[in-house]
Amino acid sequence: MNSNLKWKAIFILGVILVCVVGLVGIPDAPKSLSAIRSNFASRIKLGLDLQGGTHLILQVQVQEAVSQETDQTLDHLKTTFRDKTIRYDEIRKLSDTQILVHNIATEQAGTARNLISDQFPDWTIAPAPGEPSGYLVTMSASRIANIQQQTMDQAEETIRRRIDALGLTEPLVAPYGQGENEIIVELPGEGDPNRAKSVIQAGGQLELHLVLDNTPYSSEAAAQAAHGGVMPPNAQLVQGKSSAASSSQPAVESWYVIDRVPVVTGRDLRSATAVRSTKNVGFYDVDFTLSTEAGRRFGPFTEQNIGKELGIVLEHRLQTAPVINGRIDDTGVIEGQFGEQEANDLGLVLRSGALPASIKYLEERTVGPSLGADSIRHGVQASIVSLLVVMVFMVVYYRLSGVNAVIALVLNLVILLAALAYFGAVLTLPGIAGVILTIGMGVDSNVLIFERIREEVRASKAPVSAVDLGFKRAFLTIIDTHVTTIVSAAFLFVFGTGPVRGFAVSLAVGLLANLFTSVYVSRVIFDWHLFKMPREAE
């Protein structure tokens, strides 16, 4: 064997060795068989459709974030007018994007307009219809679009961090649909999908509000009646458990009147940790730390409201309303009589970041492991049957050249599976379809080469020359077909979702492996056989 052919053979053996290590690792000798099985199972990650799990479609309520921006602007506008001594009768929220400033003093109208234009560049001011001294402050369309996009991006990233913190295997969190503010979440192999769903659903919208009425109400109607049937513009009603409830008394559902604008939100959180409750034995609380900026706001606020109740609201529900006994700068506690797991999950939610808006479930589907096992069985059967049929055809039709093609096909599958293992790619049912298609593409490449070689033999070329010309003339055609298919797979990966991406990945990797096996490995086998022929004849 010449040195060039020898080094090529060593290189191929090296590739095979690397692939085997990627698939099964280096198992311990005493437990080699069980270790090989275990390592192979752990390295080939299966998608949701193969190992079971949970499939969710969520819709982010982006309008809530727009409304919250309007609330904060309204509060800022009041503070600015008070600091500049601009007189007005009322500032109230008309809609999620509009604020009405009623009856500004005539001599100060110009100053108010300039102030809003300078300090609130994302808002426009215009005379209010039917209000001679009133002005309508409206959020700009570009700002609305920006908030909606930021809300979607933050919601996607927050959900992804929460799911990753649960330690799930290759979860999928991605935008879904066409402009409907939807997110797809797939949790393959999740042993407790209910826990994952509760972590996602607990939006973590922590808000700290001043409680305006010292006494909770037994019903929403009672709270409204206490205010003449109409809630004040700066107030809102939230439901929660009565603070009078104790371990010996069941919790009573009550209604609280709180300030509409929160002093602190979940965005201001730096950390949140579950700790044993010092007040309620057997229960857990959640300690949290605020950012420096939030601490600067929270300190003066608590100092000015000593003796009043501070409502801790999570997901629009009041968890507890402790009395402010002194100045609090940047640390606090959520007391809700939580269990250990519940407190840990709540801390996880808050640490992972607050969702900028609540979410709504549009679709929920659970894939059982038995269905996934059935898909694996049928997919593997289809792959094996197709491979065997192709092998038999190639050996019968091309004889020894067919054996060459069979070796290339088997190596092609080994390289494909090893690449999936090394890159941590997920094998899905469409991915198995991509494997089967790769088998067909591999056969197509070998058929092109073998037919080219036959044409050269019919033209009375010597075997060595026929093989050389056959590979050279088939090479461009093989490259053309493979490159165009890989480009198509790239588009599927970029614009597709989970299962479609699985198909694209397995197809692209299989095609690249096929280029190596059909052009390089197959050529080395031919050269080795031709090199042996003269020696056998001597």
Side-chain angles (χ1 to χ4, degrees), residues 192-231:
D192 185 6
N194 289 330
R195 181 191 173 195
K197 285 165 54 183
S198 66
V199 168
I200 296 173
Q201 191 170 8
Q205 287 183 284
L206 176 67
E207 297 177 342
L208 275 60
H209 297 256
L210 182 66
V211 178
L212 300 180
D213 291 1
N214 293 331
T215 305
Y217 298 95
S218 59
S219 66
E220 186 176 6
Q224 291 178 341
H227 291 271
V230 179
M231 297 301 300

Side-chain angles (χ1 to χ4, degrees), residues 281-323:
V281 179
F283 292 98
Y284 285 77
D285 299 332
V286 178
D287 283 347
F288 64 86
T289 303
L290 301 175
S291 64
T292 303
E293 175 62 28
R296 283 198 290 265
R297 297 197 313 268
F298 200 49
F301 169 82
T302 52
E303 189 174 26
Q304 295 169 10
N305 292 282
I306 292 176
K308 297 181 181 180
E309 291 183 341
L310 181 67
I312 299 177
V313 180
L314 184 66
E315 277 299 284
H316 310 297
R317 181 176 177 83
L318 192 140
Q319 298 292 330
T320 183
V323 176

Side-chain angles (χ1 to χ4, degrees), residues 404-433:
N404 183 341
V406 168
I407 295 173
L409 281 177
V410 172
L411 182 56
N412 188 0
L413 291 178
V414 171
I415 294 174
L416 170 56
L417 293 177
L420 294 179
Y422 273 118
F423 293 117
V426 178
L427 183 63
T428 61
L429 191 58
I432 294 178

